[in-house]
Amino acid sequence: MNFRHSLIGLLCLISFFSCSEQEKYVSKEKINDNILQEIAVPVSKEENRVVTYTNKRSAYFQTSSHILNSELYSWFDGWNVGQKRIFTDYKIEIDGKAFDRENAEVIAYPHYLQRKTDQAVEKLILFDDQDVIYVSLEAVKGENTKLTLLGDQIKETGKDKQATYYTSSEDPSKVLAVAPSHKENIDDDGYAAVTKSGRGGFYISIAKDKEAAVKLIQEAREHHGEWFKERTQRMTDLITENTYIHSEDPHFDKALAWLTLTMDGLVTHQRGYGIYAGIPWFNEYWGRDTFISMPGGTLVLGETDIAKKILLSFADVQDTKSSSKYYGRIPNIVKMESLNYHTTDGTPRFIGQLLEYIKYSGDNTLIKTMYPTVKRSVDGALKNWVNKKGYLTHEDADTWMDARREPDKVAYSPRGSFANDIQALWYQQLNAAIYFAEVTNHKSDAKRWQKIADKVQNNFMHDFFDGTHAYMADRIDHDNQPDFQFRPNQLFAMDFITNDEQKMKLTREIWEHLVYPWGVASLSQEDPNFHPYHLAWEHYHKDAAYHNGTIWQWNNGYAMQRMIESGQEDIAFQLFQNMNVQSLDMGAVGSMNENADAFPHEGKDYPKLTGTYMQAWSNGEQLRVWYQYFLGIQPNAIENKLVVAPRIPSKLNQFKFKEKIFNDQLEGEYQNVDGVETYTYTLKEKDIQFVFNHKLFQDLEIDVKAGERVKVTRDQKELTLTVFSKEGKQRALKKAHLDDALLARQAQSDEIFEGTNFCKPNFDREYACMKETFQKN
């Protein structure tokens, strides 16, 4: 059953918190969660997958479906609040017998985790903005239930009739309370009586003292139905109103829905607004990660109001000390109690995303507010970090490849004095700043910044390419020499290349040397410093491999984008589908990992997933490339223009979609029947200049009024655009014929990319790192 049928056709509402007259603390709110129910993921005991929920503020709960045994993540199991590990797990007992979680039937839903045994049905639930966990127990076969908190850091400190109290060594200033959800009282052993209807659940709260913790539980008893309904509705709206996809492939639709929801779970307001870099160990805001993730995590999901709050929050913590060498930078890391400015790429991405926010929202008022922030960002760089050629210089570990050896802090993958991706980002920052300066009438700023931008553009091709290598240098080193390590960073700098053929050939080169079926490697396997496995502690420290061979899923986005721009959406879609499978069927439920090994281990046909299991920029880039490059939705509110440049892979023959843009809703549909493509688009509330871009035809442009339907049909020779009024009458028609130059470009692309394959592991080669030995402390 698809989302649309559920939303319209299913009229029965699920009463999640049904109760008897005696159960006065259980809300009778009716919950319509049909859509979220449909995308549930059953998890077997053998899979034993990680599942995590956040409260959208400063807390998350991490668990495994059956048994806590994850070697990578076990340190972070349980409830984490404000970057503190409060407790590791909880134990449920029914009439003195432990709830048999290990053998439970488990289903992961986007809004709760369900475990079912012969003893009871357990549901683990978090609420938005509440420091409360609800462990619901229904259909209990017993008379009494008890919940005990577990973990070396947790200690029981007392008990009364209302609750059992705990403190955590991670945050001894707080008190935890465990109390029944359905009764006021517990007995001396912490047991609560089960109701006649078989309910026996508990709340877990954390607050400044016992009284506040109990008060929070009392509020939960009264309002949890409303809280759950609000959370459920928010999540439902995200995948039915803000965004929506229904194709002939249910797995495809389900994967995108889960990625949307897990991505959204990382968008929080822990210290100001931001995006967790990754769970479990990056539950904090990183400047570069936040603004890499922001397009896929907010803009394409219609969450421009949240994007604005994130931008303002980071502007508030910009380094404004003119004497600082980091003057004008936004932080690399925003923790609860500290800030760190040790990064170069975060600030250019921040300024670039400010411009993208304006394009998606049309909120020009923010430009004036943010101009002082923009000016500091550019002038601080010019003062401290820009050389005579206009390049933005930086320290060895100040790019996203930032791993350093302790205690001497020597970079494992040094990229100073200036790297190719940093120059591309700097150039984008300058151009965005120039636009803001012109809009706010700061013409002298615009003029001097334009001179720097021109320098960067004029110098780049000369300095980063030579006559021998088919690819660009990764960096210019401290001796002013090009370093031609073959890395994926050149994906971000390819816009400097003006020769189309050169760009296509480089895209293929990158694909076949770095892009494996499971993601993009950080270094070519031909390099002497290549590490085939992220985790091989018997040979080397994991950080030695981190950016020297390890797969980084977030780089997939630009790898696919460059392939689509080259006219090869089918090749790009192979990687996109593989990532959907990874997110839905492997690792943590519904999310993408930070990393993976480059090579599978002996006897395996797929590499081990590593790094954080819920990584914002991995999820965000998968969503961004779908909306901006496969669907081709490219809003530009600055010019009141909507460019639609669909590049639909041949495996998708029909689908419907929605995307919230311009604070309006765009609805679309695609069909391919016997080689005839049909696209339809409707923007409900806004008049717009509509531009349709097809890779074989010249653009068709037309003014479209709110509510009008645009239909584009493409057959073998002709592209026809028709506008229908709200009443369904044809109002306008435009046509284009196949364009000879674009046909020639596509033919050239097909020739260049013929026979393109993913990179394949070379198991026969000896890798120097695998001969090393390492003593882990």
Side-chain angles (χ1 to χ4, degrees):
M1 189 180 293
N2 63 58
F3 295 173
R4 175 73 68 178
H5 289 162
S6 295
L7 192 61
I8 297 174
L10 294 177
L11 300 178
C12 93
L13 298 175
I14 297 176
S15 179
F16 189 86
F17 298 111
S18 61
C19 56
S20 70
E21 288 295 324
Q22 289 74 27
E23 295 172 49
K24 62 181 179 179
Y25 293 114
V26 181
S27 169
K28 297 179 182 180
E29 289 282 343
K30 300 285 186 178
I31 309 297
N32 183 358
D33 63 349
N34 293 317
I35 306 303
L36 303 182
Q37 293 274 339
E38 283 184 15
I39 60 173
V41 175
V43 183
S44 69
K45 177 181 177 180
E46 291 71 29
E47 291 174 305
N48 193 39
R49 298 177 69 181
V50 173
V51 186
T52 296
Y53 301 97
T54 78
N55 74 347
K56 293 283 290 175
R57 185 169 65 194
S58 60
Y60 71 89
F61 192 89
Q62 169 185 310
T63 188
S64 294
S65 56
H66 294 79
I67 307 172
L68 297 184
N69 66 352
S70 168
E71 63 179 281
L72 279 177
Y73 312 121
S74 58
W75 176 257
F76 296 90
D77 282 328
W79 204 18
N80 291 257
V81 182
Q83 299 192 279
K84 311 285 188 183
R85 297 168 50 252
I86 303 302
F87 65 87
T88 300
D89 199 4
Y90 57 82
K91 179 176 71 173
I92 297 169
E93 295 172 82
I94 301 173
D95 291 347
K97 184 179 180 181
F99 181 76
D100 188 13
R101 182 190 293 179
E102 180 178 350
N103 295 300
E105 295 177 16
V106 179
I107 302 176
Y109 297 93
H111 50 331
Y112 65 89
L113 178 66
Q114 176 177 296
R115 300 181 178 110
K116 182 179 179 181
T117 72
D118 292 338
Q119 298 166 283
V121 177
E122 173 203 357
K123 293 175 181 175
L124 169 66
I125 301 168
L126 271 65
F127 305 106
D128 289 356
D129 295 313
Q130 301 295 336
D131 289 334
V132 177
I133 296 172
Y134 179 33
V135 181
S136 166
L137 291 174
E138 302 171 356
V140 178
K141 303 297 189 296
E143 297 182 359
N144 297 283
T145 57
K146 180 180 180 181
L147 188 146
T148 305
L149 301 185
L150 305 175
D152 294 339
Q153 74 275 44
I154 199 78
K155 179 181 179 181
E156 183 179 329
T157 55
K159 191 185 282 98
D160 57 29
K161 289 185 177 181
Q162 296 185 92
T164 303
Y165 303 100
Y166 295 83
T167 58
S168 173
S169 60
E170 291 270 329
D171 193 356
S173 66
K174 301 288 179 61
V175 173
L176 288 93
V178 176
S181 60
H182 54 294
K183 296 283 186 181
E184 280 189 343
N185 297 334
I186 57 174
D187 66 20
D188 291 343
D189 294 320
Y191 279 93
V194 175
T195 67
K196 291 180 180 179
S197 62
R199 300 183 61 82
F202 291 85
Y203 294 117
I204 308 165
S205 69
I206 187 169
K208 63 181 180 179
D209 53 37
K210 287 172 57 174
E211 290 74 19
V214 170
K215 183 181 178 183
L216 187 50
I217 285 176
Q218 290 170 343
E219 291 174 358
R221 286 181 179 141
E222 183 177 353
H223 297 295
H224 72 212
E226 300 162 33
W227 294 349
F228 184 75
K229 184 177 181 180
E230 290 168 0
R231 183 174 171 93
T232 299
Q233 191 62 55
R234 176 184 60 75
M235 297 172 84
T236 299
D237 287 348
L238 264 174
I239 59 172
T240 59
E241 298 301 320
N242 285 29
T243 62
Y244 169 82
I245 180 69
H246 172 56
S247 72
E248 69 268 45
D249 182 353
H251 187 278
F252 178 83
D253 303 350
K254 189 173 179 178
L256 285 179
W258 268 97
L259 282 167
T260 298
L261 294 169
T262 54
M263 178 70 243
D264 178 71
L266 296 169
V267 181
T268 67
H269 56 105
Q270 178 168 275
R271 178 179 176 178
Y273 281 79
I275 302 175
Y276 281 171
I279 291 177
W281 48 76
F282 297 139
N283 58 326
E284 61 212 8
Y285 307 151
W286 287 57
R288 75 166 65 92
D289 296 56
T290 290
F291 295 106
I292 289 169
S293 307
M294 200 169 99
T298 62
L299 298 181
V300 304
L301 304 184
E303 299 282 272
T304 51
D305 55 335
I306 301 298
K308 180 177 182 178
K309 291 176 180 178
I310 293 171
L311 289 161
L312 289 170
S313 291
F314 271 84
D316 283 345
V317 289
Q318 184 183 38
D319 189 340
T320 58
K321 296 178 183 177
S322 59
S323 59
S324 168
K325 72 174 183 177
Y326 299 133
Y327 174 64
R329 283 189 183 182
I330 61 158
N332 183 34
I333 307 174
V334 179
K335 290 181 178 288
M336 293 290 286
E337 299 162 353
S338 65
L339 300 169
N340 179 306
Y341 294 90
H342 195 74
T343 184
T344 296
D345 49 344
T347 304
R349 290 187 182 278
F350 164 68
I351 301 301
Q353 285 309 302
L354 174 60
L355 182 58
E356 283 299 295
Y357 162 76
I358 304 297
K359 288 181 178 180
Y360 269 84
S361 68
D363 179 14
N364 293 321
T365 62
L366 193 60
I367 298 175
K368 184 177 181 181
T369 302
M370 294 283 276
Y371 188 74
T373 305
V374 173
K375 180 177 171 62
R376 278 191 294 269
S377 78
V378 179
D379 286 348
L382 290 173
K383 178 181 179 182
N384 296 309
W385 297 99
V386 176
N387 68 9
K388 292 180 180 179
K389 287 193 170 185
Y391 293 133
L392 185 61
T393 65
H394 49 84
E395 297 168 7
D396 277 338
D398 269 11
T399 76
W400 75 272
M401 292 186 165
D402 56 1
R404 296 187 297 180
R405 187 175 64 234
E406 299 297 342
D408 55 11
K409 300 189 182 303
V410 173
Y412 281 111
S413 47
R415 300 193 67 227
S417 174
F418 43 100
N420 55 23
D421 55 324
I422 300 301
Q423 307 323 306
L425 292 168
W426 170 233
Y427 183 68
Q428 292 167 17
Q429 178 185 357
L430 285 166
N431 282 299
I434 290 163
Y435 168 75
F436 296 137
E438 290 172 343
V439 168
T440 56
N441 204 32
H442 290 85
K443 299 191 182 301
S444 62
D445 287 343
K447 186 175 181 180
R448 62 192 177 87
W449 295 343
Q450 186 63 62
K451 290 179 180 178
I452 304 300
D454 291 343
K455 275 187 181 181
V456 175
Q457 185 177 36
N458 293 335
N459 288 326
F460 188 89
M461 292 299 291
H462 176 268
D463 292 336
F464 282 84
F465 284 89
D466 65 6
T468 18
H469 295 88
Y471 55 93
M472 70 177 73
D474 186 62
R475 62 162 178 157
I476 307 299
D477 67 19
H478 298 289
D479 295 323
N480 209 35
Q481 297 300 309
D483 175 3
F484 281 95
Q485 280 195 300
F486 195 51
R487 295 186 177 276
N489 304 300
Q490 56 195 314
L491 287 164
F492 306 100
M494 287 175 65
D495 289 335
F496 282 119
I497 302 173
T498 56
N499 182 289
D500 217 21
E501 181 179 4
Q502 182 184 7
K503 203 169 181 179
M504 290 180 190
K505 288 180 177 179
L506 178 55
T507 298
R508 175 164 183 167
E509 196 81 10
I510 293 169
W511 197 270
E512 295 197 321
H513 286 85
L514 293 173
V515 184
Y516 296 83
W518 36 84
V520 179
S522 46
L523 183 65
S524 168
Q525 62 183 303
E526 285 83 22
D527 193 283
N529 197 33
F530 176 76
H531 292 61
Y533 306 106
H534 184 190
L535 303 178
W537 283 105
E538 67 276 23
H539 297 295
Y540 46 78
H541 192 285
K542 67 182 178 66
D543 284 349
Y546 206 31
H547 301 107
N548 291 314
T550 296
I551 299 293
W552 286 81
Q553 313 291 10
W554 80 274
N555 284 327
N556 297 351
Y558 263 81
M560 289 185 280
Q561 176 183 326
R562 297 308 187 191
M563 191 59 77
I564 293 167
E565 289 171 342
S566 295
Q568 300 297 325
E569 58 271 12
D570 278 353
I571 296 176
F573 195 62
Q574 294 175 40
L575 182 59
F576 191 83
Q577 284 185 300
N578 290 352
M579 294 303 102
N580 280 351
V581 170
Q582 191 179 104
S583 68
L584 200 57
D585 304 327
M586 302 178 186
V589 175
S591 187
M592 289 174 61
N593 271 61
E594 177 188 14
N595 305 117
D597 290 339
F599 290 3
H601 283 274
E602 187 175 353
K604 304 289 185 180
D605 57 6
Y606 205 87
K608 186 175 183 178
L609 301 180
T610 63
T612 65
Y613 59 78
M614 189 181 290
Q615 182 76 2
W617 59 15
S618 301
N619 287 7
E621 279 296 274
Q622 182 81 347
L623 292 167
R624 180 189 70 84
V625 82
W626 166 249
Y627 285 101
Q628 292 185 349
Y629 284 89
F630 285 112
L631 283 184
I633 308 301
Q634 298 166 13
N636 186 349
I638 293 170
E639 300 178 10
N640 197 42
K641 180 184 292 186
L642 173 60
V643 177
V644 180
R647 301 295 185 262
I648 311 301
S650 59
K651 285 193 175 182
L652 292 178
N653 292 307
Q654 59 179 12
F655 58 81
K656 296 180 179 180
F657 76 91
K658 290 181 184 178
E659 185 181 357
K660 186 179 175 184
I661 56 172
F662 304 138
N663 295 311
D664 195 357
Q665 191 176 77
L666 176 70
E667 294 187 356
E669 189 171 352
Y670 170 77
Q671 284 189 326
N672 187 335
V673 180
D674 297 328
V676 176
E677 301 167 5
T678 304
Y679 310 80
T680 61
Y681 305 94
T682 305
L683 196 61
K684 289 188 173 182
E685 306 292 337
K686 186 175 177 61
D687 297 349
I688 200 77
Q689 183 184 7
F690 183 91
V691 181
F692 189 83
N693 173 281
H694 191 286
K695 65 180 181 179
L696 299 180
F697 298 85
Q698 289 294 322
D699 290 355
L700 289 176
E701 299 187 20
I702 196 163
D703 290 331
V704 178
K705 297 176 182 178
E708 291 188 325
R709 179 169 61 96
V710 178
K711 181 179 179 180
V712 180
T713 303
R714 182 253 166 161
D715 58 24
Q716 296 302 314
K717 295 182 179 180
E718 198 169 58
L719 190 71
T720 304
L721 185 153
T722 311
V723 179
F724 295 92
S725 69
K726 287 183 178 180
E727 296 73 31
K729 295 181 180 180
Q730 179 177 319
R731 183 181 68 78
L733 184 144
K734 283 192 170 185
K735 292 190 175 186
H737 294 280
L738 286 168
D739 184 90
D740 289 341
L742 293 175
L743 278 170
R745 180 187 190 273
Q746 188 60 43
Q748 181 184 48
S749 171
D750 292 342
E751 182 179 351
I752 289 171
F753 289 98
E754 184 178 2
T756 299
N757 293 304
F758 284 114
C759 183
K760 297 177 181 177
N762 184 355
F763 293 104
D764 294 331
R765 184 173 165 222
E766 291 187 350
Y767 298 96
C769 64
M770 301 304 290
K771 298 177 181 179
E772 299 172 3
T773 57
F774 178 76
Q775 187 67 41
K776 185 179 178 182
N777 294 331

